[in-house]
Amino acid sequence: MQTWEAKDSLDLVRIALVVTGGLGGVVALVVAYRKQRVAEDANRREEEASRRDEAKLYNERFIAASQLIGHDSAMVRMTGIQAMAGLADDWLAGRQTCINVLCSYLRMPYDHIPGDHDLVRGEREVRLIIIGIISEHLRRDSADSKSWRGYDLDFSGAVFDGGDFSGAHFEGVTSFHGALFVRSEVSFVGATFSHGTTSFIEAEFSGSRVRFEDSSFVSGGVYFGRATLSKGRVSFSGAKFNGAAVGFSGFLLSGGTLSFGSAKFTAGPITLSGVRLEAGELTFWESKFMGAMVSLSGARFAGANVSFVGAEVSDGVINFSMAGLTNGVIRFGHTAFLGGEVKFSEMRFNGGEMVFSDARFDSSSLSFDRAVFQGSTVTFTDTEFTGGGIVDLSRAVVRKCPPVFDSWIEPPRGLIMPPPMKDFAGTETPPVFAEQVSEAIAAADASES
């Protein structure tokens, strides 16, 4: 029979202590876990209560600002607008909603007829304050927590009789669709258009000065399709087109000036296809074409004066394919064709003038493939052919009014003449020189006198 020894008692005590200690540890862990869960639940309830209080506060501020914006007094409306802008800065989740309210105010019916009464002056000031607030937030760096870059702006159908968007960054979806620009000046000077889409489709420019001078069109798209300029001036002078898709398809110029003077076209498609130029002026004075694809295909030149005077073409393509010249003047005087390609394929010269006087043809290629000379006066007088460029008229169709050149015995190197025009008897007509035109005009004047 096994005897119970003292050491066995000691081992038993040790085991009991270990078990008891383990149970105590388990109990301690359970108690600690329950305390942690209780604390977490309390914290969650506090956070939820805080969020509810915060949401309630934001909603109360939103309602209060909205009520002020709807007040009859212009001064009270201005206070509401400032309150709404401040709420947009504080309320990230509701920022777009606050911006929508400010934009919707500009879309409301607006009596823009000039007047001296307080109602008109006060309302105009309210609208200018909204534009100023939005612009100030679009100028802020994207890292700024209060920057509004990238948010959507809906100015569709709004009336602008002033406003300063200079230096703003348009990176979201911005719509000026059907907007009306009247009187005064609206400035986008130095603005940057990137990433997003900005639409001026069917906008109307009537008597205002809208300035996009020194702006940068980097990426995304900016569209002026079917917009109308009847008087006033829309200026892109000094603008940089270096990647964005810019479209003027169906644009109507019936007065005023559309200017791209000193602009730089380095990349991206610039589409003026189907524009109608009935009056006014379209100018690319001293612009530089350095790689962009500029299309005036299907354009109708029916009375406006178009100027490329002093421009420089070094790369890219300028496309006049299937355009029609019936009235007005297109001038390329003092233009330097240093590279790239200019296409006049299938263009119809039915009236008006196209003037290349004092132009320099160095390395560019000008093609008049299947162009029809029907009634326009196209002159190449005092032009310089250095031998590197090509002006190809070999496939042009000359029905009457052939191009006019300086007199020479052999065509300059780089100039490829059109097939000889034939009169009704089938006799070939030699090239028309400028001195012959001058002599004919002098003889006609003498016979009339």
Side-chain angles (χ1 to χ4, degrees):
M1 180 177 181
Q2 189 174 6
T3 60
W4 185 269
E5 297 181 358
K7 66 175 184 175
D8 294 329
S9 298
L10 182 60
D11 291 339
L12 184 60
V13 170
R14 287 175 179 169
I15 292 171
L17 289 173
V18 169
V19 171
T20 303
L23 291 173
V26 171
V27 171
L29 287 173
V30 170
V31 171
Y33 174 73
R34 293 189 63 185
K35 287 182 177 179
Q36 181 179 350
R37 287 292 304 272
V38 170
E40 288 178 351
D41 289 343
N43 289 335
R44 184 166 56 253
R45 286 194 296 271
E46 289 178 3
E47 290 175 359
E48 289 175 353
S50 177
R51 284 195 294 269
R52 285 195 298 269
D53 291 341
E54 187 178 64
K56 180 180 179 182
L57 176 61
Y58 286 145
N59 287 328
E60 289 173 351
R61 289 176 61 184
F62 182 83
I63 293 171
S66 299
Q67 289 174 342
L68 293 175
I69 291 174
H71 199 274
D72 290 338
S73 168
M75 290 300 297
V76 175
R77 293 200 297 276
M78 292 179 192
T79 302
I81 287 162
Q82 295 288 355
M84 187 64 73
L87 177 58
D89 289 339
D90 298 338
W91 189 18
L92 183 60
R95 181 169 293 172
Q96 183 65 67
T97 300
C98 297
I99 293 172
N100 291 345
V101 172
L102 297 178
C103 292
S104 66
Y105 189 97
L106 294 177
R107 297 198 306 271
M108 292 175 62
Y110 171 47
D111 181 9
H112 58 86
I113 305 301
D116 294 329
H117 51 87
D118 294 339
L119 182 62
V120 172
R121 292 200 304 271
E123 177 61 15
R124 185 170 188 269
E125 288 302 315
V126 171
R127 300 172 72 84
L128 292 178
I129 284 176
I130 294 175
I131 295 171
I133 288 173
I134 293 174
S135 300
E136 190 272 330
H137 284 83
L138 293 178
R139 295 185 191 107
R140 297 191 180 195
D141 189 88
S142 56
D144 189 327
S145 63
K146 296 182 179 180
S147 172
W148 292 1
R149 292 190 191 184
Y151 287 89
D152 296 341
L153 303 168
D154 186 0
F155 304 115
S156 301
V159 177
F160 292 89
D161 58 350
D164 184 7
F165 291 97
S166 61
H169 289 255
F170 295 91
E171 298 178 1
V173 177
T174 304
S175 176
F176 292 89
H177 190 121
L180 174 63
F181 295 84
V182 293
R183 301 191 318 276
S184 299
E185 176 178 292
V186 180
S187 175
F188 294 86
V189 173
T192 300
F193 298 86
S194 59
H195 307 303
T197 300
T198 303
S199 171
F200 291 86
I201 292 174
E202 295 183 352
E204 183 178 349
F205 303 93
S206 179
S208 60
R209 298 183 302 278
V210 182
R211 302 174 61 192
F212 294 88
E213 295 151 12
D214 299 315
S215 294
S216 296
F217 298 85
V218 180
S219 60
V222 183
Y223 303 103
F224 294 81
R226 301 188 302 280
T228 301
L229 172 58
S230 56
K231 55 184 177 180
R233 182 180 182 89
V234 178
S235 175
F236 294 85
S237 297
K240 301 176 184 64
F241 298 88
N242 47 12
V246 181
F248 288 82
S249 297
F251 190 95
L252 172 61
L253 177 63
S254 59
T257 300
L258 177 60
S259 173
F260 294 89
S262 300
K264 294 182 179 180
F265 300 88
T266 57
I270 315 299
T271 304
L272 292 96
S273 300
V275 296
R276 291 178 294 158
L277 308 173
E278 297 177 354
E281 182 178 11
L282 169 63
T283 176
F284 293 88
W285 183 76
E286 293 189 351
S287 292
K288 295 184 184 298
F289 299 88
M290 302 181 289
M293 307 288 289
V294 181
S295 175
L296 291 109
S297 62
R300 294 293 176 262
F301 301 92
N305 292 318
V306 182
S307 175
F308 289 82
V309 172
E312 183 178 292
V313 182
S314 58
D315 198 2
V317 177
I318 304 176
N319 186 9
F320 288 85
S321 296
M322 302 184 73
L325 173 60
T326 57
N327 199 1
V329 181
I330 304 176
R331 301 183 187 276
F332 288 91
H334 299 281
T335 299
F337 295 93
L338 308 177
E341 186 177 4
V342 183
K343 297 180 179 180
F344 297 94
S345 303
E346 299 186 51
M347 184 169 175
R348 296 294 188 266
F349 296 90
N350 295 323
E353 297 180 69
M354 180 175 284
V355 182
F356 289 90
S357 298
D358 297 300
R360 178 160 66 97
F361 299 97
D362 192 346
S363 297
S364 296
S365 171
L366 274 71
S367 170
F368 290 82
D369 187 29
R370 296 189 301 279
V372 178
F373 293 86
Q374 180 76 20
S376 302
T377 301
V378 182
T379 58
F380 289 84
T381 57
D382 297 317
T383 53
E384 180 182 355
F385 292 88
T386 61
I390 296 176
V391 177
D392 188 355
L393 292 149
S394 63
R395 299 188 64 188
V397 178
V398 181
R399 293 177 178 167
K400 62 179 180 178
C401 295
V404 179
F405 302 90
D406 290 318
S407 58
W408 30 253
I409 297 175
E410 293 292 334
R413 181 183 175 187
L415 173 61
I416 305 176
M417 292 295 292
M421 184 178 69
K422 296 183 180 181
D423 59 20
F424 290 108
T427 305
E428 292 184 352
T429 302
V432 177
F433 298 125
E435 61 185 35
Q436 295 173 318
V437 175
S438 299
E439 291 172 359
I441 293 174
D445 290 342
S447 64
E448 290 179 0
S449 60

